[in-house]
């Protein structure tokens, strides 16, 4: 089998059919692909939808587990995957028409120990991506250096996402996602890149990421957002430390600049919401801001000024942010 697609599902009834309809096709067969739906203990009708698609398409497999979080569900599906290659979808996102056929065609030209990476686009409403076909005539694949690939992990247009990349099965099976972090992608992708022979890039959009208020990065309640931000800081530090220790200098500088920005955001968030949480993460972020030395080219003019202002008059910056 060539390709396994792992989709963690949790209370996704609103968008799940749109996701699966963009993926399945009567032209596909179980000899080439498998779609593994891992229902992470949904309490809505997501489980019924998963069962229906598994019944209608022989290459769709449905598994229901006790609610354990997205990382655990991804690991569960990865462990069961039989394909030479593994990729991921989130259950509220969609893909271009002919996505699977395009991947199968592209992977025939990619070294089996390499990672394929492609572009994505964000959307909020389905009508925004109504015309989501891909012209695969003479697609151009480019092999990039490990240094460039690590830098790409720090750039928003490529990012720390599992779903715009296809991995050799042995790489993802040997490097499990951490289940104690809400940012498991960032905690793991640099390890995948390091383990691969090369990174192959397709400069085309194959994936559409739906921006919703319920996503991990858009937690709406204060405490939930605080926990995400703590994981955010931790994962940035882990990734940045790896870049530094392995000689990825440009990626390290960009990662450090991102840490400065997120540290300021974290401190301002805690103070603006009068939170009592001023523990290890908060104090670490204060030390990060005190040591700020980043160049404008990395951190950006707006953040450079904001951090410098915080260093001089922290209460003034907080007052300005509240207006």
């Amino acid at each position: 089998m060539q390709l396994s697609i792992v989709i963690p599902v949790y209370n996704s009834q609103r968008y799940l059919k749109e996701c699966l309809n963009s993926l399945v096709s009567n032209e596909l067969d179980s000899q080439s692909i498998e779609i593994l739906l891992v229902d992470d203990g949904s309490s809505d009708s997501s489980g019924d939808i998963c069962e229906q698609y598994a019944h209608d398409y022989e290459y769709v497999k449905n598994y229901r587990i006790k609610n354990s979080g997205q990382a655990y569900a991804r690991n569960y599906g990865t462990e069961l995957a039989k394909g030479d290659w593994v990729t991921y979808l989130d259950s509220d996102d969609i893909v271009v028409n002919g996505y699977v056929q395009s991947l199968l065609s592209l992977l025939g030209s990619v070294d089996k120990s390499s990672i394929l990476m492609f572009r994505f686009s964000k959307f909020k409403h389905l009508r925004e991506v109504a015309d989501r076909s891909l012209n695969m005539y003479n697609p151009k694949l480019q092999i990039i250096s490990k240094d460039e690939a690590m830098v790409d992990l720090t750039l928003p247009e490529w990012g720390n996402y599992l779903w715009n990349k296809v991995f050799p099965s042995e790489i993802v099976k040997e490097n499990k996602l951490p289940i104690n972090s809400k940012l498991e992608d960032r905690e793991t992708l640099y390890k995948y890149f390091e383990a691969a022979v090369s990174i192959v890039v397709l400069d085309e959009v194959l994936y559409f990421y739906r921006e919703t208020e319920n996503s991990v990065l858009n937690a709406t309640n204060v405490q939930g957002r605080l926990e995400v931000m703590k994981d955010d800081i931790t994962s940035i530090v882990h990734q940045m430390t790896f870049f530094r220790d392995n000689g990825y200098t440009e990626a390290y500088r960009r990662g450090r600049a991102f840490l400065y920005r997120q540290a300021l955001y974290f401190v301002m968030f805690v103070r603006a919401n009068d939170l009592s949480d001023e523990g290890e993460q908060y104090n670490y972020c204060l030390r990060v801001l005190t040591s700020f030395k980043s160049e404008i080219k990395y951190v950006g003019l707006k953040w450079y000024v904001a951090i410098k202002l915080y260093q001089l008059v922290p209460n003034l910056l907080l007052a300005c942010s509240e207006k």
Side-chain angles (χ1 to χ4, degrees), residues 288-299:
V288 166
L289 295 173
T290 300
S291 67
F292 175 68
K293 296 178 182 178
S294 183
E295 300 174 36
I296 293 178
K297 66 172 285 190
Y298 290 110
V299 78

Side-chain angles (χ1 to χ4, degrees), residues 244-259:
R244 182 197 63 201
D245 292 348
N246 289 274
Y248 296 113
T249 305
E250 183 69 11
Y252 168 72
R253 288 172 177 165
R254 291 183 178 277
R256 183 179 61 182
F258 188 54
L259 175 63

Side-chain angles (χ1 to χ4, degrees), residues 197-266:
V197 167
S198 63
I199 312 300
V200 182
V201 173
L202 175 69
D203 195 15
E204 298 282 351
V205 173
L206 299 189
Y207 193 99
F208 295 97
Y209 169 76
R210 190 189 304 265
E211 295 183 292
T212 67
E213 293 183 353
N214 294 325
S215 69
V216 169
L217 296 178
N218 289 319
T220 53
N221 67 83
V222 170
Q223 192 59 41
R225 194 162 184 81
L226 180 66
E227 293 306 312
V228 172
M229 292 171 71
K230 286 182 178 180
D231 282 353
D232 185 42
I233 296 296
T234 299
S235 65
I236 294 170
V237 172
H238 289 167
Q239 186 187 67
M240 188 180 70
T241 301
F242 171 84
F243 292 154
R244 182 197 63 201
D245 292 348
N246 289 274
Y248 296 113
T249 305
E250 183 69 11
Y252 168 72
R253 288 172 177 165
R254 291 183 178 277
R256 183 179 61 182
F258 188 54
L259 175 63
Y260 287 134
R261 297 196 297 267
Q262 296 305 93
L264 179 61
Y265 187 45
F266 181 82

